[in-house]
Amino acid sequence: MDGLPGSVGTSASFSLRLGQTMFSSASLLFMSLGVEFYSYTAFCYLVTIMGLVIPWSFTLALVDGYSVLVKCPIRQPGILLIIVVGDWVLSTLTLAAACSTASVVDLLLNTHGSFCPPKLCSRSKVHLECNESHAQLHSRYTKSTDKINS
């Protein structure tokens, strides 16, 4: 375990945990500012998971930093088991949240009707596609009603 890069209590692990904390914080920040995440369950799920990952990663970064400073890596099997299980659970939840969020974004981009709230549509590319889809549906509807009326 001494030669394994990124193992708990090494400088590589400290760097990885800080990166994980920063990227999770950036994800949470962009999700909270970019869209009305509370309108979609998948976005709420991602925000919740990032809210769990940030303190977990930051705490483990502090543990790694302390271990590097005192030059005493963690070797207790119980602590390592908790870290492994916690990382496994949070990584699985993060993957699920990212996949569900990506599927909702894909649905919003490829829908043929207007499923997005006005504030979301005005802030993103979805706005253009919503307007184009709405215009196409409106022209089809007017053509079909003109045929029926004639």
Side-chain angles (χ1 to χ4, degrees):
M1 184 98 128
D2 290 332
L4 191 61
S7 60
V8 179
T10 62
S11 59
S13 176
F14 176 70
S15 301
L16 290 170
R17 292 292 177 182
L18 280 181
Q20 187 177 21
T21 304
M22 289 188 315
F23 284 114
S24 298
S25 300
S27 172
L28 183 63
L29 178 71
F30 288 127
M31 285 300 300
S32 298
L33 296 178
V35 297
E36 295 179 8
F37 67 90
Y38 50 83
S39 299
Y40 301 97
T41 306
F43 294 128
C44 290
Y45 181 53
L46 181 64
V47 167
T48 303
I49 297 304
M50 290 301 112
L52 294 172
V53 169
I54 292 168
W56 173 260
S57 299
F58 185 70
T59 302
L60 290 179
L62 290 177
V63 168
D64 286 335
Y66 179 75
S67 295
V68 168
L69 285 177
V70 298
K71 294 179 176 51
C72 180
I74 297 172
R75 299 281 183 242
Q76 292 84 10
I79 293 175
L80 290 176
L81 180 65
I82 290 171
I83 292 171
V84 167
V85 169
D87 279 344
W88 178 73
V89 168
L90 285 175
S91 65
T92 304
L93 291 173
T94 302
L95 177 65
C99 290
S100 65
T101 303
S103 67
V104 167
V105 169
D106 187 50
L107 174 71
L108 288 175
L109 290 175
N110 293 322
T111 186
H112 295 293
S114 181
F115 284 92
C116 54
K119 287 184 182 179
L120 175 65
C121 285
S122 66
R123 293 184 186 173
S124 64
K125 180 182 173 187
V126 177
H127 175 62
L128 297 173
E129 292 189 18
C130 285
N131 286 341
E132 290 172 1
S133 297
H134 190 291
Q136 289 173 354
L137 287 174
H138 182 64
S139 66
R140 287 180 194 164
Y141 175 75
T142 55
K143 287 179 185 177
S144 64
T145 54
D146 289 342
K147 287 180 183 179
I148 293 172
N149 291 336
S150 2

